[in-house]
Amino acid sequence: MGSEVWNVLVTGGAGYIGSHTVLELLEAGFQVVVIDNLINAYKDLNSEKPKCLLIVEKLTNKNVTFIDCDITNINDLRDVFQKHTFSCVIHFAALKAVGESCQKPLEYYKVNVAGTVNILEVMRENNVKHFIYSSSATVYGIPEQLPLVEDMKTGNCTNPYGKTKFMVEEILKDLCKSDDEFSVISLRYFNPVGAHSSGQIGEDPNGIPNNLMPYIAQVSVGKRDMLYIYGNDYDTPDGTGVRDYIHIVDLAIGHVKAMTYQKTCNPMGFKAINLGTGKGYSVLEVIRAYEKASGKKIPYKIVERRPGDISASYADASVANKELGWTTTKNLDDMCADTWKWQQNNPNGYKN
Ligand code: NAD
Ligand code: UDP
């Protein structure tokens, strides 16, 4: 199994993390089929493929197969598995806006939980036994202790989005208990930010960004007047929230390492692995780093705390280091420089 070329199904591969991961998988020699229903991705008007994947093909000089498919439709998934043979599935497709998940919980449970069960069912029908899951630090809920370690308690989540990530992890644990040939790596991402160093692919949020870095990026190109900082009375060194920001390319490479690990190891059941740098930065520190990288002033105003926010979160990343041989190579300055490059080149994202 170690030397054959793996054909990988990437769900949600037209999204922010998916597109960067597809690029790294192609560079590492994997063959890739992407499925995505493009609900949060931009379709090129002159092609059947999403724009980000056309750019990925250009950057890598390799081909990606793209299929427009909704994971909530199990028969469409069956068609995909009938036309292609896969060794592994990397599952990104999901809805991801925390606020929206409180307004539309059923949509979130349908796509994130039922959609995932559909994929697992079709994998079982086709005897595909390797699964890499996009989980999140949010599964730890309100941290009892920092840094966050994989064997800490999970599940005290404050919103439906977080609960879907926790529920899927529980489903995956049960599935692994029922089938000792099944291998799952659940990658618990901390805060992915930044863009590919080419400045040609990056994060392209719809409407007002929910997350800090894309919001700052839009302020830096004049699309928004100022950043609103959600609270400066947290129990952190400067009172603003602290997070473990991780460069998107480091995160993408984490998936390649996880796949390579699955390819070379015997079935190992369910394994959760944090992908973070292990270091937390405050909102004010991120603003300062971005100002340095861009030469732009980021005006801000302190406002009320955002409901559901925690004061601080950062990873213990030693399991990824020991088990996957993975470590981050890019720091906060790189994250800001690459975000700025992408935003400056593409002030309107892929719609340029
Ligand atoms: P994204 O929205 O950019 O990508 C998700 C992709 O899934 C999009 O291209 C979207 O069109 C597609 N999709 C959504 N519903 C679908 C459906 N029913 N069928 C087929 N495709 C569908 O999000 P992202 O930031 O790239 O996140 C990828 C994964 O990582 C998600 O599972 C998310 O929950 C998880 N995650 C993201 C973050 C983050 O900060 N970005 C942090 C932790 C975990
Ligand atoms: N944040 C902020 N203003 C914004 C967006 C985020 O002050 O417009 C803060 C937020 O309160 C948190 C940090 O930035 O302390 C990271 O927030 P983000 O939404 O990016 O990630 P998450 O909270 O999901 O970890």
Side-chain angles (χ1 to χ4, degrees):
M1 189 205 274
S3 62
E4 85 205 47
V5 176
W6 264 22
N7 198 27
V8 187
L9 174 64
V10 179
T11 77
Y16 171 47
I17 304 174
S19 54
H20 287 81
T21 302
V22 168
L23 188 150
E24 297 302 331
L25 288 168
L26 292 173
E27 297 281 27
F30 291 100
Q31 284 170 356
V32 180
V33 174
V34 167
I35 60 171
D36 199 298
N37 70 350
L38 304 181
I39 194 160
N40 200 28
Y42 189 73
K43 188 169 167 303
D44 188 90
L45 296 176
N46 304 311
S47 165
E48 286 309 303
K49 281 185 187 168
K51 195 155 172 197
C52 61
L53 294 184
L54 293 173
I55 299 169
V56 165
E57 287 184 326
K58 209 173 72 194
L59 290 171
T60 57
N61 208 16
K62 291 188 176 158
N63 187 53
V64 189
T65 304
F66 173 74
I67 303 167
D68 190 336
C69 171
D70 189 322
I71 59 166
T72 61
N73 187 328
I74 194 162
N75 287 328
D76 286 358
L77 286 172
R78 289 194 172 110
D79 283 349
V80 172
F81 277 73
Q82 217 160 44
K83 291 195 185 100
H84 300 270
T85 305
F86 300 113
S87 305
C88 176
V89 175
I90 305 183
H91 180 37
F92 294 106
L95 301 176
K96 65 162 184 178
V98 170
E100 186 187 59
S101 77
C102 300
Q103 275 123 39
K104 300 180 178 172
L106 294 185
E107 279 81 350
Y108 275 69
Y109 290 117
K110 185 171 170 193
V111 175
N112 295 11
V113 182
T116 304
V117 172
N118 282 344
I119 293 164
L120 295 168
E121 201 174 328
V122 179
M123 284 176 69
R124 187 176 57 188
E125 288 166 7
N126 289 275
N127 211 30
V128 180
K129 302 280 189 179
H130 295 95
F131 192 71
I132 294 174
Y133 179 59
S134 286
S135 188
S136 166
T138 193
V139 298
Y140 294 110
I142 299 160
E144 281 167 10
Q145 223 180 301
L146 290 170
L148 291 158
V149 181
E150 286 85 347
D151 58 10
M152 282 177 176
K153 201 163 97 10
T154 55
N156 190 15
C157 304
T158 53
N159 57 74
Y161 166 73
K163 288 179 191 169
T164 66
K165 293 283 152 188
F166 167 71
M167 284 176 189
V168 169
E169 283 205 352
E170 295 302 297
I171 291 168
L172 292 168
K173 286 177 195 168
D174 287 340
L175 181 60
C176 288
K177 276 186 213 147
S178 75
D179 177 353
D180 58 15
E181 288 179 7
F182 207 79
S183 289
V184 171
I185 298 183
S186 186
L187 295 173
R188 294 180 180 159
Y189 312 153
F190 281 67
N191 289 58
V193 295
H196 188 255
S197 59
S198 64
Q200 294 190 50
I201 58 169
E203 188 168 13
D204 183 16
N206 256 331
I208 303 170
N210 293 307
N211 298 113
L212 179 66
M213 191 66 95
Y215 202 109
I216 291 179
Q218 292 197 0
V219 173
S220 70
V221 292
K223 284 191 80 175
R224 313 225 166 252
D225 294 342
M226 67 169 72
L227 172 76
Y228 298 95
I229 298 182
Y230 300 136
N232 67 348
D233 56 353
Y234 283 108
D235 183 18
T236 60
D238 65 23
T240 64
V242 165
R243 297 290 184 276
D244 184 340
Y245 298 93
I246 170 172
H247 195 290
I248 185 71
V249 172
D250 279 331
L251 188 83
I253 291 170
H255 293 74
V256 178
K257 295 273 187 187
M259 283 244 336
T260 309
Y261 182 85
Q262 283 203 332
K263 202 172 165 200
T264 49
C265 288
N266 289 325
M268 61 196 175
F270 177 91
K271 197 180 266 294
I273 301 185
N274 288 339
L275 291 184
T277 64
K279 190 163 171 29
Y281 288 98
S282 74
V283 176
L284 291 172
E285 285 175 311
V286 175
I287 293 174
R288 277 197 289 276
Y290 195 93
E291 288 182 334
K292 193 173 94 186
S294 63
K296 297 279 176 187
K297 188 97 199 106
I298 305 296
Y300 65 81
K301 187 176 166 189
I302 311 285
V303 295
E304 287 292 288
R305 289 182 179 195
R306 182 169 64 178
D309 266 3
I310 53 176
S311 63
S313 163
Y314 50 90
D316 177 326
S318 56
V319 172
N321 187 228
K322 274 191 225 115
E323 305 257 349
L324 305 182
W326 172 90
T327 181
T328 54
T329 60
K330 292 171 189 280
N331 62 24
L332 184 63
D333 292 337
D334 302 317
M335 300 177 210
C336 293
D338 289 335
T339 305
W340 167 236
K341 190 171 181 185
W342 155 254
Q343 192 69 44
Q344 209 184 3
N345 288 347
N346 308 276
N348 299 312
Y350 290 112
K351 285 169 213 78
N352 272 354

